[in-house]
């Protein structure tokens, strides 16, 4: 019997660790956009923003934008696993 695969944090971190990531700070003075080119060439973007531009924090904005990419990657990997299990 074949063992059921799972999507793991290690797998997500491995994919992101092998991705090219570019970060754009202070878009319109209040937004951070991160773009990741995954190892297979697929591109995902993530974002974060503040209401008050005076409270923009580069580190927090970048972490949140990359977390947004991680969330999207979890969904894509979950979809891929579901597709494999159903076929």
């Amino acid at each position: 019997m074949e063992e059921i695969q799972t999507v793991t944090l290690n797998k997500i971190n491995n994919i992101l660790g092998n991705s090219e990531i570019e970060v754009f700070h202070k878009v319109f003075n209040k937004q951070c956009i991160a773009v990741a080119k995954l190892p297979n060439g697929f591109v995902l973007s993530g974002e974060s923003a503040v209401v008050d531009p005076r409270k923009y924090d580069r580190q927090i904005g970048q972490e949140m934008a990359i977390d947004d990419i991680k969330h999207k990657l979890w969904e894509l990997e979950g979809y891929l696993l579901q597709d494999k299990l159903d076929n």
Side-chain angles (χ1 to χ4, degrees):
M1 180 173 220
E2 185 178 322
E3 184 178 324
I4 295 180
Q5 298 176 10
T6 60
V7 178
T8 64
L9 180 57
N10 187 46
K11 180 173 185 173
I12 298 300
N13 287 336
N14 186 46
I15 292 169
L16 277 180
N18 289 298
S19 298
E20 292 178 48
I21 298 177
E22 291 191 31
V23 180
F24 305 92
H25 286 283
K26 295 200 87 171
V27 177
F28 296 114
N29 271 340
K30 59 190 325 189
Q31 186 173 27
C32 178
I33 298 173
V35 181
K37 181 180 176 188
L38 306 181
N40 68 1
F42 193 80
V43 174
L44 285 176
S45 62
E47 60 184 286
S48 66
V50 296
V51 173
D52 182 349
R54 295 172 295 176
K55 294 184 179 181
Y56 185 86
D57 182 294
R58 290 176 68 88
Q59 183 66 33
I60 293 171
Q62 182 169 323
E63 288 173 9
M64 292 181 70
I66 291 173
D67 282 348
D68 192 29
I69 292 172
K70 271 188 180 181
H71 177 77
K72 292 174 182 179
L73 190 52
W74 273 102
E75 290 180 351
L76 290 171
E77 288 294 314
Y79 172 83
L80 180 62
L81 177 58
Q82 182 72 59
D83 192 55
K84 285 180 183 177
L85 293 174
D86 285 346
N87 290 316

